[in-house]
Amino acid sequence: MGYSLASQRLVREAITITQRLTRQQSRELTREQLLRSAAELFAEQGVNGTSVEQIVERAGYTRGAFYGNFKGKHELVLALLEQRTQRELEEVRAMSRESGSFDEMIEHLRSWHGERDRNLAGWLALRTELWLYGLRDRPELLPVLADRERRTRAAMAQGLEQGFADRGVTTPAPVELLALIVHALDDGLSIQRVLSPADSSTDTVVDVVELLMTAWTALAHSTAPTDGHPCTTPAATPADGTTGPSTARPASPDRTRTLENLEKKP
């Protein structure tokens, strides 16, 4: 009898745990569907043009389900920003883990941009709406948006560092600056892709990154110390306007040839 009672108690505990997990999973599913519906509506009609009623209607839930997950629309916006940031960072980190070299990462990045291109207009519209919401209506959201951008650039910087390491050179400028350049070009080229799709392709962003890496690698080679002597810079001009002997290192033939090849590259 004792064994039977113990067994029944274990069964009841197992059922209770299963029910709790099911409720938790159900809540996570509800939250995910509300976020997805909100993202679609924000892209279509803006954050301010979307009501809680519209979000729950599209998701197929009630207002009670919404307020069981979020205190209001602003909290949902914050959750959406965090969700999008984490997903993109996880995708970039996964590409880094699966890549044995920078060239392999470029190919993964090419596939990633191909997937994003399928809904690039919606992705860009939502990104723009979230920025506008912070700029116009909720200035306190700007630090959150800035943190999202910093984390994205940090992930890009890691990829660039891997690229320079594969090429056996040091970065010709702070890698954070180079990541900022790549990030800004990605944004700008995405806008051009949506406005003038015939003038670009899904590979444009990655092609630009490869071109930049080629140019930056050439620059790193041209400014590297030679024969154990560090590169010198032009001497400062004295206050009287006279000039002394120049200590500037002339452009090396290798650098000239490299730049000529870059110009000839289709």
Side-chain angles (χ1 to χ4, degrees):
M1 178 66 69
Y3 177 78
S4 177
L5 289 174
S7 298
Q8 292 176 19
R9 179 173 55 79
L10 290 173
V11 169
R12 286 196 300 271
E13 290 178 354
I15 292 174
T16 300
I17 292 173
T18 302
Q19 289 175 338
R20 287 176 181 171
L21 289 175
T22 301
R23 285 197 296 270
Q24 180 63 26
Q25 291 170 346
S26 176
R27 181 173 182 178
E28 290 175 357
L29 178 61
T30 300
R31 183 183 178 87
E32 173 65 27
Q33 290 175 334
L34 289 169
L35 287 169
R36 185 184 300 116
S37 297
E40 293 173 358
L41 287 165
F42 291 166
E44 293 170 10
Q45 54 197 39
V47 177
N48 289 333
T50 300
S51 65
V52 171
E53 287 75 12
Q54 290 173 321
I55 294 172
V56 298
E57 180 180 357
R58 177 167 295 195
Y61 291 103
T62 63
R63 286 173 60 88
F66 180 92
Y67 288 107
N69 286 275
F70 307 103
K71 294 179 181 179
K73 191 169 67 173
H74 181 64
E75 186 175 286
L76 180 145
V77 171
L78 293 175
L80 184 60
L81 273 170
E82 181 61 25
Q83 181 194 66
R84 284 167 56 82
T85 301
Q86 286 300 321
R87 284 183 178 176
E88 290 180 9
L89 288 176
E90 287 169 6
E91 289 169 356
V92 172
R93 289 165 181 163
M95 285 189 281
S96 297
R97 288 194 302 268
E98 296 167 5
S99 303
S101 67
F102 183 77
D103 291 336
E104 287 183 10
M105 185 173 181
I106 283 290
E107 292 309 310
H108 286 304
L109 190 62
R110 202 177 295 279
S111 298
W112 184 81
H113 274 280
E115 289 292 326
R116 192 181 72 173
D117 195 69
R118 296 179 182 180
N119 187 38
L120 183 58
W123 176 87
L124 185 61
L126 177 58
R127 177 180 171 84
T128 303
E129 278 298 328
L130 293 173
W131 272 105
L132 290 175
Y133 177 67
L135 289 170
R136 292 186 305 205
D137 306 302
R138 292 296 188 103
E140 69 272 18
L141 185 61
L142 293 179
V144 178
L145 292 165
D147 179 66
R148 166 185 162 80
E149 297 299 302
R150 278 192 293 269
R151 284 190 278 173
T152 300
R153 293 197 304 271
M156 290 181 175
Q158 290 180 352
L160 292 174
E161 285 180 331
Q162 179 181 353
F164 288 116
D166 289 349
R167 287 159 173 75
V169 297
T170 57
T171 59
V175 71
E176 295 81 9
L177 174 61
L178 304 184
L180 177 62
I181 293 171
V182 171
H183 192 33
L185 282 171
D186 189 2
D187 283 346
L189 291 170
S190 295
I191 294 172
Q192 297 304 314
R193 173 71 177 152
V194 171
L195 296 178
S196 305
D199 297 332
S200 61
S201 71
T202 59
D203 293 331
T204 299
V205 172
V206 183
D207 289 343
V208 169
V209 172
E210 286 190 303
L211 180 61
L212 286 173
M213 283 299 296
T214 300
W216 287 336
T217 300
L219 180 61
H221 279 300
S222 70
T223 57
T226 57
D227 299 327
H229 298 289
C231 299
T232 56
T233 56
T237 302
D240 60 5
T242 61
T243 57
S246 174
T247 59
R249 186 169 63 88
S252 68
D254 288 341
R255 182 183 184 189
T256 302
R257 285 194 295 271
T258 300
L259 294 176
E260 289 175 350
N261 290 334
L262 284 173
E263 292 174 352
K264 294 177 181 177
K265 184 177 179 180

